[in-house]
Amino acid sequence: IQLMQYVIYGIASFFFLYGIILLAEGFYTTSAVKELHGEFKTTACGRCISGMFVFLTYVLGVAWLGVFGFSAVPVFMFYNIWSTCEVIKSLQTNVTVPGDQICVDIRQYGIIPWNAVPGKACGPILENICNTNEFYMSYHLFIVACAGAGATVIALIHFLMILSSNWAYLKDASKMQAYQDIKAKEEQELQDIQSRSKEQLNSYT
């Protein structure tokens, strides 16, 4: 449990720093830089960094999609146990079906091996498990973990959309910058030719 706590602390710190880096990268690929520094300039290094963040965010999104699916399994398991306990409690007023026949087999979820003993809880034993504080605390924590993983997946998808847009903006801006450089060079050459022709005309006159 302590190892998992350290892992969670490390993941939270990593994503906090990664979010700050993505925020800074987003500012430096939008018009905010043009407003602060005047003329917009882009480099091959900047485009490579933006493309690297797109790839890294995509990989993290796929990984967290797996974490989200994995965290949904214990939520489903705890929900089935809780609903079974509610059925046992409701049978106290209706004794048509004995409570001892209602069981939950944890082994069928793949959490523990099939040769584990005991792997099944029935009747009053299952009801006692559901009445413990640890059961409800674990159930709520797994729900929070599943919701957090889902929110992380949504955030990464949102970041990926923004980063892809920024990368396309940088790519188009680099092409526009190259076009403007060529155009400025051609205009300068045209001005030089005109100035030379004027000088020659003045010399003739």
Side-chain angles (χ1 to χ4, degrees):
I1 294 176
Q2 291 181 353
L3 180 61
M4 288 299 298
Q5 288 178 350
Y6 290 134
V7 169
I8 291 172
Y9 295 154
I11 292 174
S13 301
F14 169 76
F15 271 94
F16 179 75
L17 295 176
Y18 189 68
I20 293 176
I21 292 172
L22 288 180
L23 183 63
E25 196 270 344
F27 272 109
Y28 275 96
T29 52
T30 55
S31 59
V33 176
K34 186 175 181 180
E35 295 175 359
L36 291 174
H37 302 286
E39 189 65 25
F40 177 81
K41 296 293 183 182
T42 180
T43 60
C45 181
R47 295 192 296 274
C48 290
I49 291 175
S50 182
M52 181 192 70
F53 278 122
V54 170
F55 175 74
L56 184 59
T57 305
Y58 177 79
V59 172
L60 290 174
V62 173
W64 272 96
L65 189 62
V67 173
F68 174 69
F70 180 77
S71 62
V73 174
V75 174
F76 176 72
M77 181 187 71
F78 274 91
Y79 174 77
N80 285 339
I81 296 174
W82 174 78
S83 60
T84 306
C85 291
E86 293 297 320
V87 171
I88 293 175
K89 292 178 182 179
S90 66
L91 288 178
Q92 294 177 356
T93 57
N94 185 11
V95 293
T96 56
V97 178
D100 294 338
Q101 294 183 2
I102 300 177
C103 302
V104 170
D105 194 350
I106 306 298
R107 296 171 295 184
Q108 65 182 349
Y109 297 103
I111 305 299
I112 59 177
W114 279 100
N115 56 1
V117 178
K120 182 170 67 173
C122 302
I125 298 176
L126 180 60
E127 187 177 358
N128 292 333
I129 292 174
C130 291
N131 291 330
T132 59
N133 294 327
E134 290 81 2
F135 175 80
Y136 285 100
M137 179 62 69
S138 302
Y139 187 24
H140 294 157
L141 288 177
F142 276 118
I143 292 175
V144 171
C146 184
T152 305
V153 170
I154 294 173
L156 287 171
I157 293 174
H158 184 68
F159 269 125
L160 184 61
M161 293 168 61
I162 295 173
L163 288 172
S164 300
S165 176
N166 287 341
W167 185 79
Y169 173 72
L170 281 177
K171 188 176 179 181
D172 293 339
S174 64
K175 293 181 179 179
M176 183 62 67
Q177 181 182 349
Y179 171 74
Q180 290 177 354
D181 292 340
I182 294 172
K183 185 178 179 181
K185 186 177 179 181
E186 290 178 351
E187 290 178 353
Q188 185 65 34
E189 291 178 354
L190 183 60
Q191 290 178 0
D192 293 340
I193 293 172
Q194 289 177 353
S195 62
R196 290 197 197 102
S197 62
K198 287 181 181 179
E199 289 176 358
Q200 291 177 357
L201 182 62
N202 292 331
S203 64
Y204 288 150
T205 57

